[in-house]
Amino acid sequence: MEHAEDFDFEEWSSLAVADPEAFEAKRQLAIEKVISSGAPEYRHRLRQLQWKVDAIRTASPNPMAACIRIYDLFSQHTFGPGGFLEILQQVSGGAWEHMGERPVRPLAAVLPLAPCRN
């Protein structure tokens, strides 16, 4: 399995342009290596998740739309009901309760307006 520091973006990008079929084969092999390196009890779930990601990519009109939809999927699995954050809150007794929340602050001072008199 390649480590992040071993990933050569230019090589992958050039391959995608020059030979899309070879790029796809290499992408599938890299994904399978990552899934196979996972704990056996999680491999089926990882394959299901990859199937969902691939389905989103296929159904999206362009790569940016796919990226946004995949981001939304992972955000939901992290911050949504039954997501990673909720599980952390349960096992930690609420220590992670405010993680992911942005503090709300006013953007500007709000001035009271007096009623208009004609």
Side-chain angles (χ1 to χ4, degrees):
M1 180 175 87
E2 285 187 25
H3 291 80
E5 60 271 6
D6 298 330
F7 180 77
D8 185 345
F9 178 81
E10 293 301 323
E11 176 187 337
W12 281 81
S13 180
S14 296
L15 184 60
V17 171
D19 190 348
E21 289 179 10
F23 169 84
E24 185 59 26
K26 186 174 181 176
R27 185 184 79 84
Q28 290 292 338
L29 181 62
I31 290 168
E32 185 53 38
K33 281 182 181 180
V34 170
I35 290 173
S36 295
S37 71
E41 62 269 22
Y42 296 117
R43 289 180 192 154
H44 179 70
R45 180 70 182 116
L46 289 171
R47 282 193 176 86
Q48 288 176 327
L49 183 57
Q50 185 59 47
W51 180 88
K52 193 175 238 182
V53 167
D54 288 339
I56 290 170
R57 288 178 65 233
T58 301
S60 297
N62 57 60
M64 182 57 75
C67 184
I68 291 168
R69 290 175 181 171
I70 292 166
Y71 173 83
D72 289 344
L73 171 72
F74 282 99
S75 291
Q76 184 64 27
H77 281 279
T78 301
F79 299 107
F84 182 67
L85 181 60
E86 187 175 294
I87 292 168
L88 279 178
Q89 290 169 349
Q90 290 171 359
V91 299
S92 69
W96 295 85
E97 194 167 326
H98 300 291
M99 184 178 170
E101 295 178 13
R102 294 183 183 163
V104 177
R105 62 184 171 100
L107 298 176
V110 178
L111 303 174
L113 298 176
C116 230
R117 296 179 201 248
N118 291 342

